[in-house]
Amino acid sequence: MYKPASGKAEEFICHQEILDTLAYADENRANRPLINGILRKAARCKGLDHREASVLLACADPEVWGQIYALARRIKETLYGNRIVLFAPLYLSNYCVNSCTYCPYHAQNKGIPRRKLTQEEIRREVAALQDMGHKRLAIEAGEDPKNNPLGYILESIRTIYSVRHRNGAIRRVNVNIAATTVDSYRQLKEAGIGTYILFQETYHRENYLRLHPRGPKGDYAWHTEAMDRAMQGGIDDVGLGVLFGLSSCRYDLAGLLLHAEHLEAAFGVGPHTISVPRICPADDIDPALFPHAVPDELFCRIVALLRVAVPYTGMIVSTREGEATRRRAIELGVSQISGGSRTTVGGYAQGGGEGSAQFDISDRRTLDEVAAWLLGLGCIPSFCTACYREGRTGDRFMALAKTGKIAACCTPNALLTLMEYAMDYASPATREKALQAINRELEGLPSAAVREAARRRLDAIAAGARDFRF
Ligand code: SF4
Ligand code: SF4
């Protein structure tokens, strides 16, 4: 039975509720009065529930889609402004005991070299990331209690935060590791992590079991209930994600929204971020095995729908997507992207090794090229990490995000961190563009007091000071 606040996976991600939702969506796919009502609700930035979003996804009317895209752009602009937060993944280890059939790190793949970074190698990776200009990382590691125990992850987080290379510093470490216990989540919280990220991959239980035939990740309930345990362990910023293409995207979109509704119902805090990866080529993975692969237009529809359904949640797209798709995704709602990424273990300091990447990178541009590209699109590349460091997490963050007040912090913080980037890392051409954008955006800040404070801090950064925040 469907129970949104239940702690049991089968009750908050209720298969029958999803089937009923999809049937309801099919019945109403051309019901214009209902669709118009859903669009009016979305226009108030109050979000949509899984049934409402599913009706829109089922609708084939191009005029309705024109309205949804326009709405997604407007919500994005109102709540997030034009800043795009940049981050990089850092792969610590590709040892893994699981058997995910879509990932080349699965335990049965003997064709890739297995590697785990030492603390000294992590220092070198972090220095290389700092030299690019990154301030925010997402660490990634396969599940392997022998090679990658929690102690290794905690030690690695301490190492990452300790590295100070020239003016560099990693100010926020998000963590993407396997589902674990409440006590382990508590230790991660104490280590000062930002968001705990765990992709569900697919909410469709039967497909999930087929795609994860061996290893602890094959326990659907343990995996699906992980965010509840993370919350119980004190981590109040959690990041959801589906690997679109593993099951029908209609099923997984409904599942993803049920999960967000569950976190709201059970903990009063929705997901901090939602990631939208798609199945894509990688070593030992045949995309032909995945008949639900999501074409570009459908992918853009999903991004736009998520923007209107959960307006308060940051949305992330990785370098799996190429430039053209990333551009559309940014327009339609994505607020955070990776840049200059390497998906190999040791890929930043040593380069190469692409044959052992977790997935193929479509966007191969450097961080400087990505920053210049964003500036050319009229966006502000942001290296901001302010909220978590100011204690704006969980319900405190959500209260600001839901009312749109967070933009008053995001824009000036984007300008301050872009100034740091311009001073320390940008190429001359990117620096020039960045300085022009900073001057333009500074004048547009609505509050005179914030504008003055930002101007003083920008001057201080130009004179050599670092790490200011609103
Ligand atoms: Fe291991 Fe994660 Fe790859 Fe699955 S997706 S095989 S858990 S690294
Ligand atoms: Fe993100 Fe907060 Fe910075 Fe805005 S102010 S970009 S929400 S960390």
Side-chain angles (χ1 to χ4, degrees), residues 96 98-100 102-107 141-143 201 212 217 358:
C96 191
N98 285 312
S99 58
C100 315
Y102 47 83
C103 173
Y105 291 172
H106 65 77
E143 180 167 16
E201 319 296 9
H212 305 93
K217 192 169 168 181
Q358 193 190 28

Side-chain angles (χ1 to χ4, degrees), residues 15 30 42 147 186 207 222 225 271 275 279 311 377 411 430 441 459:
H15 179 59
N147 288 297
R186 193 167 290 122
N207 283 350
W222 176 252
E225 293 160 9
S275 299
I279 195 79
L377 295 178
T411 309
T430 305
E441 296 287 327
D459 288 345

Side-chain angles (χ1 to χ4, degrees), residues 76 81-84 330-331 371-382 418 437 440-441:
K76 162 86 194 293
N82 57 354
R83 57 86 177 164
I84 295 291
I330 285 170
E331 259 178 57
W373 170 72
L374 288 171
L375 288 161
L377 295 178
C379 299
I380 302 297
S382 173
L418 179 60
R440 184 189 69 228
E441 296 287 327

Side-chain angles (χ1 to χ4, degrees), residues 85-88 134-139 157 160-161 169-175 192-197 235-239 272-273 336 383-390 392-394 397:
V85 172
L86 288 156
F87 77 100
H134 278 296
K135 300 282 188 269
R136 174 190 289 246
L137 300 185
I139 58 171
I157 294 168
I160 293 167
Y161 278 133
I170 298 303
R171 298 171 181 160
R172 178 177 179 128
V173 178
N174 297 332
V175 173
I193 70 164
T195 309
Y196 172 65
I197 302 161
I235 298 174
D236 48 9
D237 284 349
V238 298
H272 191 71
T273 56
Q336 202 177 127
F383 298 87
C384 177
T385 55
C387 281
Y388 134 83
R389 300 168 76 215
E390 288 291 313
R392 293 192 295 256
T393 62
F397 174 81

Side-chain angles (χ1 to χ4, degrees), residues 14 21-22 28 107 122 124 136 143 159 210 219 253 284 294 312-313 346 393 398 413 464 466 468:
C14 171
T21 296
L22 299 185
N28 289 291
I122 291 172
R124 286 203 289 272
R136 174 190 289 246
E143 180 167 16
T159 299
R210 189 175 47 75
D219 184 336
L253 182 84
D284 200 38
V294 177
Y312 56 84
T313 295
T393 62
M398 283 298 159
N413 282 330
R466 294 291 176 268
F468 297 101

Side-chain angles (χ1 to χ4, degrees), residues 101-375:
T101 54
Y102 47 83
C103 173
Y105 291 172
H106 65 77
Q108 289 70 41
N109 184 3
K110 306 295 178 206
I112 56 166
R114 299 287 168 173
R115 247 195 104 182
K116 164 188 170 180
L117 296 178
T118 64
Q119 298 305 310
E120 190 44 45
E121 287 170 327
I122 291 172
R123 275 183 210 102
R124 286 203 289 272
E125 289 286 282
V126 171
L129 283 155
Q130 290 182 0
D131 279 347
M132 292 160 71
H134 278 296
K135 300 282 188 269
R136 174 190 289 246
L137 300 185
I139 58 171
E140 320 265 345
E143 180 167 16
D144 186 330
K146 201 164 118 240
N147 288 297
N148 319 328
L150 183 71
Y152 169 71
I153 303 292
L154 296 171
E155 188 185 4
S156 303
I157 294 168
R158 280 194 295 274
T159 299
I160 293 167
Y161 278 133
S162 74
V163 176
R164 290 283 184 278
H165 186 61
R166 302 198 181 105
N167 276 343
I170 298 303
R171 298 171 181 160
R172 178 177 179 128
V173 178
N174 297 332
V175 173
N176 183 354
I177 60 166
T180 184
T181 60
V182 173
D183 185 54
S184 297
Y185 286 124
R186 193 167 290 122
Q187 293 182 59
L188 286 166
K189 173 73 181 172
E190 284 163 11
I193 70 164
T195 309
Y196 172 65
I197 302 161
L198 183 68
F199 297 167
Q200 178 65 28
E201 319 296 9
T202 176
Y203 286 94
H204 192 287
R205 189 172 180 279
E206 210 177 288
N207 283 350
Y208 184 95
L209 297 179
R210 189 175 47 75
L211 291 159
H212 305 93
R214 285 175 292 277
K217 192 169 168 181
D219 184 336
Y220 178 87
W222 176 252
H223 188 80
T224 309
E225 293 160 9
M227 294 313 192
D228 291 48
R229 295 192 299 279
M231 292 265 185
Q232 287 154 12
I235 298 174
D236 48 9
D237 284 349
V238 298
L240 303 181
V242 156
L243 182 49
F244 283 101
L246 294 181
S247 298
S248 130
C249 66
R250 297 180 65 203
Y251 192 101
D252 273 335
L253 182 84
L256 187 54
L257 293 176
L258 280 176
H259 203 167
E261 288 163 29
H262 160 66
L263 294 174
E264 284 264 9
F267 302 99
V269 184
H272 191 71
T273 56
I274 289 180
S275 299
V276 287
R278 277 192 281 181
I279 195 79
C280 70
D283 174 73
D284 200 38
I285 299 303
D286 178 1
L289 294 176
F290 300 98
H292 299 287
V294 177
D296 289 349
E297 193 57 38
L298 181 54
F299 180 72
C300 290
R301 288 184 175 192
I302 291 168
V303 169
L305 270 182
L306 285 171
R307 182 69 299 141
V308 302
V310 275
Y312 56 84
T313 295
M315 220 191 306
I316 302 177
V317 74
S318 77
T319 48
R320 277 174 193 257
E321 300 297 338
E323 176 184 336
T325 307
R326 297 214 314 163
R327 181 194 305 238
R328 282 198 75 197
I330 285 170
E331 259 178 57
L332 293 172
V334 161
S335 53
Q336 202 177 127
I337 65 172
S338 48
S341 302
R342 295 283 178 277
T343 58
T344 45
V345 179
Y348 294 104
Q350 294 157 29
E354 290 298 321
S356 61
Q358 193 190 28
F359 58 84
D360 281 357
I361 292 173
S362 295
D363 188 341
R364 297 181 164 274
R365 294 171 295 176
T366 64
L367 183 62
D368 190 70
E369 287 166 339
V370 171
W373 170 72
L374 288 171
L375 288 161

